[in-house]
Amino acid sequence: MYLLEFLIMFPLLISVILLLLKGERLRAGLVKISALAISSAAIALLISTFHRSIQYFKAESHLVDKIMFFTEWALAGYILYLGLKFKRARLTLLILLQAALMFYFEYSCGAKVISENNLFIDKFSIIMSLVVGIIGSLICVYSTGYMEDFHRDYHKEIKDRRNFFFFVIFVFLSAMFGVIFSNNLLWLYFFWEITTVCSFLLIGYKRTQESRNNAFRALELNLLGGLAFLAAIIIFYRTTGSIELSKVMLLGKAWALIPVILVCFAGLTKSAQLPFSSWLLGAMVAPTPVSALLHSSTMVKAGVYIILRFAAVLQGTMAGFALALIGGITFLAASFAAVSQSDAKKILAYSTVANLGLIVLCAGIGTYEAMWAAILLIIFHATAKCLLFLCVGTIEHKIHSRNIENMSGLIITMPKLSIMLQIGMAGMFLAPFGMLISKWAALKALVDYNPLLAIFVVFGSSVTLFFWVKWMGKLIIVAEPKDEIEHGVSKSQWFPLGALSVLTISVCGFFPLVSSVLIEPYCLEIYARTITMSQGNIVIMSIMLAMVMLFPLSFINYGKRVKVVDAYLGGANINNNVEFRGSAGTVNSMSMYNYYLEDYFNEKKLLKFGVIISIVLVIAMLGLSLL
Amino acid sequence: MNIFLNILLYLVLAPLTGGLLAGLDRKITARMQSRIGPPILQPFFDVLKLTQKENLVVRRSQNFYIGFFLVLVIFTGALFFTGKDILLVIFAFTLAAIFFVLAGFKASSPYSFIGAHRELLQMMAYEPVIILSAVGMYMVTRSFYVSDIVSFSRPLIYYLPGILFGLLYILAMKFRKSPFDLAASHHAHQELVKGITTEFSGKALAMIEVAHWYENMLVLGFIYLFFARLPLAGALLSLLAYFLVILIDNTFARVKWQLALLSCWLVTLIFGFGNILVLFILRK
């Protein structure tokens, strides 16, 4: 109980101090200590509660209710002000609608709404708190080093508002813990809206026209989701007289389907599923730690978290099937679009959207197997994707580009970073690493439910393979000698990168433990049955993991018993591997560019196509829930 | 003990058979082209000779990837022939293939680079039907285990003809044969030079050859699964598939990657997914 409150309140407290604190070194120190405290608390929470079943806490406080009430209205006022100031008609309309709905709810039944237990904790929230607590903290530590470089060397034109930056990040973490631990849906909604505003502020950090536009887009789309969420709460209350997550979930399908679908709609906006994906793709204008935060441990994970909470209700419903299709289409369209991208951050963004699509696909099915697969996906995706973003952030600072064509030969210019990047990529698509375990599980869940849905995974994962491997290949190509430029990366960047690399590998090694201690008991609680990977398969996976881990050992033989020759270029090489004398004595040079297959994997067409289909599906989903 | 014996048998027999088939392939191909052709055992002689050659490399670590390619292919085959989860077999197979592609990238020559890209493109083209075949087999036998699939009471071809057709279509890719020999051609005088294998020689090239023998046996094993109830017929029909690929190799020119990708996916969608759809509707 104390740990719960600590995890929500402590980051909030620190955020205020960080806002007021002057002096960069002091702030960096405080960020690191707080990060340590938060991650330790998350681990302590795991140790102290993993063996218990679901627990509820009253956490009753008029003061808290009052503060939330005023914060909510203050935020609404702030957004309204922004909407009017920047002449964003949609934003203004959305916030007015939301305010009207909120007012109606407060006025008509505000006083009567009582929640018995405001907070709760179960296995799923433990998993989420570990994801937020550990990965979020590592991002905070990384940010201290990264933001210093960012302002000192790379973006002198941007006003240094680091105190504000860290303030928002810590509020964000606090709100994420709030989302995870809230049983009172009004609380959950409150924290939900806080994450929306935080992401808005972070995306707009640079204050350029582009970042402002993208920040507003994120705000608008997420407010749309928030509106649906609020509507869902009102319907929950009107039909059941309760606003508690635990009670609402017990009611079963017939009762709860409409509001559940509305909540899922909110989840879709937050987890950037089609047709709402554009905000997450736009969010990459923000400094890289923000992308890492949004993509791995917070924001989008809040979206899938809430959908998964209601997954059991969706099982076997037509509306749930429509939701699954939205996830499937998103998975396909985003994976396909990633093929034609050369901007590293954009590839990562599409891959995030795609993987969240896979989670939504599982959630829409809602069987115990799908639940197992989806939770695994959350864990593995969070670690690997965070590592990837942070690597790209540091690399971008060093090579002044995030185009993967410019990462050619990174293995000699930045050996450690390129290896970490490769570990992250392996985590995303390669057997036997995490995401592939989850894909195995997802495929099994899909086939057991409805084999036709497997088509999404079948095509999507093949395409995934293509864009990851060609990037990986680019890193290890060495066409000509280059100097190492890795020096000067600060320790506060190295530490999180190293820790995440170790985590990416070890969550794969320890996944049977995670599964048996947390995920399987959670499935048992919800479905009274569970699935696991058979012992034999785990052994096979372990052997494969061991083999892949042994690969670096082969470098003991580096350069032994081989004779180095020039590459064949189709003529007589001129002293190196990139120039040759062709016929008639002409000197030609050679360069290598990756395949992007733009005619076949055209981003614009794919998105247009995906958006149209997904809009139809969203309407279908809402319509089917009424039946 | 049985399982170790199985693995041992596989380790020895698979490359022997694979090598013999490769020799047979060369003989038949030669006859189709009105040549006499090399002796059947020629592939073995080739590999032996390669192992005695000097190790020439462009990048010092390029052969490590090839080593792992071979080890992983052998591992994949061991999983398959001891009846393990077919999804893991497919994933391990993909992992092996990725090491091969990375070797092509690592070699850092323009021809191996293009070859590696095309190999990757082909993987993207053929993966869907391979995973779909596992899905189809699961629908019929209710198990992903190769051991269960083999012992299913009726030949799978009754239920999964479309999927089998899809697999046969991509067979040329896995055997690196025309019309889908985009990544590495057997004839070094073409625009690709030798594609992905351009910069590999000596022991590394020998390893690639042996890995292909193992690979080919694995692919034939996959085809065999469709007739597993009738072992003899199954073996014969798998061999027939092999000769079909040789025939096609000698009668078709190489296609462009566009056609390769599109046609593979279309066949997968129409025949592979169509098969699953029909099965699903019939089961309902």
Side-chain angles (χ1 to χ4, degrees):
Chain A
M1 169 68 187
Y2 296 116
L3 279 170
L4 251 63
E5 286 176 344
F6 176 82
L7 281 170
I8 299 173
M9 293 310 294
F10 177 73
L12 196 62
L13 180 76
I14 295 296
S15 71
V16 178
I17 300 176
L18 286 170
L19 182 65
L20 303 173
L21 207 60
K22 290 208 165 64
E24 298 306 333
R25 289 186 60 186
L26 207 58
R27 188 179 308 123
L30 183 61
V31 167
K32 283 173 199 167
I33 293 169
S34 320
L36 184 67
I38 293 170
S39 47
S40 315
I43 293 169
L45 186 72
L46 165 74
I47 295 168
S48 62
T49 45
F50 78 89
H51 49 279
R52 303 221 183 113
S53 61
I54 185 163
Q55 296 179 73
Y56 297 96
F57 305 100
K58 266 197 157 56
E60 201 175 12
S61 162
H62 281 295
L63 185 66
V64 174
D65 285 339
K66 284 263 159 24
I67 293 173
M68 281 190 185
F69 181 78
F70 285 114
T71 317
E72 232 163 87
W73 283 104
L75 281 179
Y78 172 63
I79 295 171
L80 185 62
Y81 162 75
L82 286 175
L84 293 173
K85 183 181 168 193
F86 292 97
K87 300 200 173 60
R88 310 282 302 197
R90 261 181 306 178
L91 185 64
T92 318
L93 182 70
L94 278 170
I95 196 66
L96 284 176
L97 269 175
Q98 192 149 347
L101 210 56
M102 218 151 75
F103 183 74
Y104 158 76
F105 187 54
E106 302 276 355
Y107 183 74
S108 67
C109 38
K112 286 175 282 174
V113 178
I114 298 161
S115 167
E116 202 178 320
N117 296 306
N118 287 321
L119 296 176
F120 82 125
I121 180 162
D122 69 348
K123 307 276 183 321
F124 192 15
S125 8
I126 296 176
I127 294 171
M128 290 301 291
S129 72
L130 284 173
V131 169
V132 179
I134 295 176
I135 296 175
S137 302
L138 286 172
I139 296 173
C140 291
V141 175
Y142 177 89
S143 306
T144 58
Y146 179 91
M147 291 310 285
E148 193 177 335
D149 292 354
F150 183 86
H151 283 296
R152 191 188 54 210
D153 301 330
Y154 302 103
H155 293 279
K156 291 198 179 105
E157 75 286 359
I158 290 164
K159 195 178 162 218
D160 188 343
R161 295 188 292 146
R162 262 182 282 171
N163 57 342
F164 179 71
F165 181 84
F166 283 106
F167 163 72
V168 181
I169 290 219
F170 274 81
V171 173
F172 207 146
L173 289 186
S174 160
M176 270 310 286
F177 284 118
V179 167
I180 295 164
F181 295 131
S182 292
N183 184 44
N184 181 340
L185 284 170
L186 281 175
W187 283 30
L188 181 51
Y189 169 70
F190 170 76
F191 291 121
W192 181 271
E193 293 297 88
I194 298 273
T195 61
T196 297
V197 176
C198 285
S199 65
F200 162 74
L201 294 171
L202 287 172
I203 296 168
Y205 180 76
K206 285 186 185 167
R207 285 192 167 159
T208 58
Q209 191 56 43
E210 189 193 14
S211 62
R212 189 167 286 148
N213 285 341
N214 292 354
F216 273 121
R217 185 159 9 128
L219 186 60
E220 284 164 3
L221 283 172
N222 280 301
L223 279 182
L224 182 68
L227 201 62
F229 202 131
L230 190 58
I233 294 177
I234 296 176
I235 300 174
F236 273 136
Y237 183 73
R238 288 268 150 186
T239 49
T240 68
S242 172
I243 50 158
E244 283 179 68
L245 190 62
S246 53
K247 291 192 180 152
V248 168
M249 274 171 57
L250 289 177
L251 292 170
K253 289 162 203 174
W255 271 93
L257 202 54
I258 302 163
V260 164
I261 286 299
L262 284 172
V263 170
C264 289
F265 180 88
L268 287 177
T269 59
K270 192 140 278 203
S271 57
Q273 296 298 289
L274 284 176
F276 314 112
S277 305
S278 58
W279 78 260
L280 192 65
L281 296 166
M284 63 180 202
V285 296
T288 304
V290 175
S291 309
L293 201 63
L294 296 179
H295 283 259
S296 66
S297 53
T298 61
M299 202 63 182
V300 295
K301 291 286 158 34
V304 287
Y305 165 80
I306 200 68
I307 297 180
L308 278 173
R309 274 283 175 215
F310 291 102
V313 183
L314 296 171
Q315 188 184 353
T317 62
M318 285 304 282
F321 191 72
L323 181 73
L325 288 180
I326 295 171
I329 289 288
T330 307
F331 180 50
L332 267 191
S335 304
F336 275 57
V339 169
S340 57
Q341 302 308 309
S342 58
D343 181 334
K345 262 179 135 179
K346 211 160 185 190
I347 296 175
L348 296 182
Y350 273 122
S351 145
T352 301
V353 174
N355 281 298
L356 292 168
L358 195 53
I359 298 176
V360 171
L361 176 57
C362 288
I365 295 172
T367 61
Y368 64 101
E369 287 178 308
M371 177 64 92
W372 190 77
I375 296 179
L376 272 181
L377 274 164
I378 289 186
I379 301 172
F380 291 133
H381 178 257
T383 22
K385 191 49 71 61
C386 182
L387 174 61
L388 285 167
F389 263 110
L390 298 188
C391 282
V392 167
T394 305
I395 291 168
E396 186 187 0
H397 273 177
K398 283 283 166 194
I399 65 173
H400 307 286
S401 163
R402 50 176 199 241
N403 191 318
I404 62 171
E405 290 300 331
N406 296 331
M407 293 187 192
S408 179
L410 209 68
I411 191 80
I412 56 166
T413 54
M414 307 182 85
K416 275 192 266 175
L417 266 171
S418 86
I419 287 167
M420 288 168 172
L421 197 57
Q422 287 182 56
I423 291 175
M425 289 181 193
M428 288 304 299
F429 81 100
L430 209 59
F433 287 96
M435 292 301 283
L436 216 93
I437 299 176
S438 343
K439 268 186 195 147
W440 174 88
L443 202 58
K444 198 162 154 35
L446 290 175
V447 176
D448 276 334
Y449 182 76
N450 181 343
L452 302 182
L453 289 172
I455 196 75
F456 293 114
V457 179
V458 164
F459 277 94
S461 61
S462 310
V463 171
T464 313
L465 181 97
F466 184 77
F467 69 77
W468 286 122
V469 179
K470 72 179 180 167
W471 186 0
M472 217 179 208
K474 201 78 199 174
L475 299 177
I476 60 170
I477 284 180
V478 182
E480 52 190 330
K482 283 180 185 168
D483 294 328
E484 196 188 310
I485 52 164
E486 204 169 34
H487 53 84
V489 176
S490 61
K491 271 196 193 130
S492 49
Q493 291 179 54
W494 278 129
F495 174 73
L497 288 170
L500 283 164
S501 307
V502 173
L503 261 181
T504 304
I505 297 169
S506 54
V507 285
C508 170
F510 288 112
F511 109 87
L513 192 68
V514 179
S515 168
S516 63
V517 172
L518 294 169
I519 309 178
E520 288 163 38
Y522 178 69
C523 289
L524 276 175
E525 270 170 22
I526 305 285
Y527 298 96
R529 59 193 298 199
T530 185
I531 183 184
T532 182
M533 204 180 216
S534 72
Q535 205 63 38
N537 278 356
I538 290 176
V539 171
I540 293 170
M541 286 288 194
S542 312
I543 296 175
M544 275 164 83
L545 184 66
M547 283 207 284
V548 176
M549 299 298 293
L550 283 179
F551 179 67
L553 272 187
S554 51
F555 282 76
I556 292 171
N557 276 326
Y558 189 76
K560 286 184 192 157
R561 293 189 302 277
V562 291
K563 184 179 165 193
V564 180
V565 294
D566 281 346
Y568 175 72
L569 301 181
N573 293 22
I574 307 177
N575 298 327
N576 58 27
N577 281 335
V578 289
E579 279 182 316
F580 65 97
R581 204 176 295 282
S583 56
T586 53
V587 174
N588 304 301
S589 62
M590 172 281 279
S591 45
M592 298 182 264
Y593 295 102
N594 275 2
Y595 277 20
Y596 292 98
L597 319 183
E598 268 155 13
D599 292 341
Y600 287 76
F601 295 88
N602 188 291
E603 184 191 9
K604 278 207 184 100
K605 277 187 206 156
L606 281 165
L607 283 192
K608 202 169 145 193
F609 182 69
V611 165
I612 292 172
I613 296 185
S614 55
I615 287 178
V616 172
L617 285 170
V618 167
I619 294 169
M621 176 179 83
L622 294 171
L624 285 168
S625 71
L626 294 170
L627 294 178
Chain B
M1 243 5 253
N2 202 6
I3 190 161
F4 290 107
L5 193 68
N6 269 348
I7 292 178
L8 199 70
L9 271 178
Y10 151 74
L11 285 179
V12 178
L13 285 184
L16 277 182
T17 328
L20 275 179
L21 281 176
L24 213 55
D25 168 13
R26 287 172 69 173
K27 196 84 183 168
I28 295 170
T29 300
R31 288 293 156 85
M32 284 181 186
Q33 296 165 354
S34 318
R35 291 184 286 118
I36 292 181
I40 303 272
L41 294 178
Q42 189 61 37
F44 296 104
F45 300 144
D46 288 350
V47 164
L48 269 180
K49 193 176 170 192
L50 280 173
T51 56
Q52 289 153 14
K53 295 242 174 193
E54 194 178 17
N55 255 334
L56 299 180
V57 294
V58 177
R59 309 293 347 163
R60 289 177 183 85
S61 56
Q62 68 184 42
N63 290 350
F64 304 158
Y65 292 89
I66 296 294
F68 265 74
F69 166 54
L70 175 62
V71 170
L72 284 166
V73 165
I74 295 176
F75 175 72
T76 310
L79 289 184
F80 183 84
F81 289 105
T82 51
K84 298 290 184 287
D85 190 325
I86 199 163
L87 285 177
L88 292 191
V89 172
I90 294 170
F91 293 159
F93 204 25
T94 310
L95 179 66
I98 286 171
F99 269 92
F100 184 49
V101 170
L102 288 178
F105 275 106
K106 185 71 227 178
S108 310
S109 111
Y111 297 100
S112 68
F113 179 80
I114 297 242
H117 260 109
R118 291 194 180 172
E119 180 72 21
L120 204 50
L121 198 106
Q122 289 190 338
M123 282 171 72
M124 176 164 75
Y126 69 65
E127 278 276 307
V129 75
I130 293 189
I131 302 179
L132 264 189
S133 66
V135 170
M137 288 174 188
Y138 182 82
M139 284 176 77
V140 176
T141 64
R142 305 311 299 169
S143 170
F144 276 121
Y145 285 88
V146 176
S147 51
D148 296 336
I149 295 170
V150 170
S151 51
F152 188 68
S153 56
R154 292 183 77 183
L156 296 185
I157 177 81
Y158 286 130
Y159 307 93
L160 304 170
I163 296 235
L164 179 64
F165 178 75
L167 275 179
L168 289 175
Y169 189 82
I170 59 120
L171 219 49
M173 269 184 193
K174 282 278 36 162
F175 287 136
R176 289 160 222 287
K177 294 273 189 199
S178 199
F180 299 137
D181 54 345
L182 281 81
S185 102
H186 288 290
H187 316 287
H189 55 267
Q190 297 172 339
E191 97 283 8
L192 262 180
V193 188
K194 282 273 282 175
I196 190 166
T197 57
T198 303
E199 301 298 345
F200 294 97
S201 57
K203 286 200 184 68
L205 201 55
M207 283 197 272
I208 294 176
E209 271 314 303
V210 176
H212 283 337
W213 297 345
Y214 274 106
E215 252 185 317
N216 290 353
M217 291 316 291
L218 181 58
V219 174
L220 290 178
F222 231 89
I223 303 288
Y224 173 82
L225 285 184
F226 288 83
F227 314 98
R229 198 64 209 149
L230 318 156
L232 194 64
L236 281 174
L237 286 166
S238 314
L239 278 183
L240 193 67
Y242 189 70
F243 293 119
L244 187 70
V245 172
I246 297 174
L247 181 66
I248 291 170
D249 180 39
N250 282 294
T251 39
F252 280 88
R254 178 185 303 156
V255 298
K256 288 183 177 171
W257 67 259
Q258 287 91 335
L259 185 60
L261 180 65
L262 274 185
S263 66
C264 276
W265 278 8
L266 272 181
V267 167
T268 306
L269 267 181
I270 295 170
F271 293 94
F273 187 64
N275 196 157
I276 300 241
L277 187 71
V278 170
L279 210 57
F280 180 69
I281 293 169
L282 290 181
R283 287 280 159 92
K284 267 261 156 141

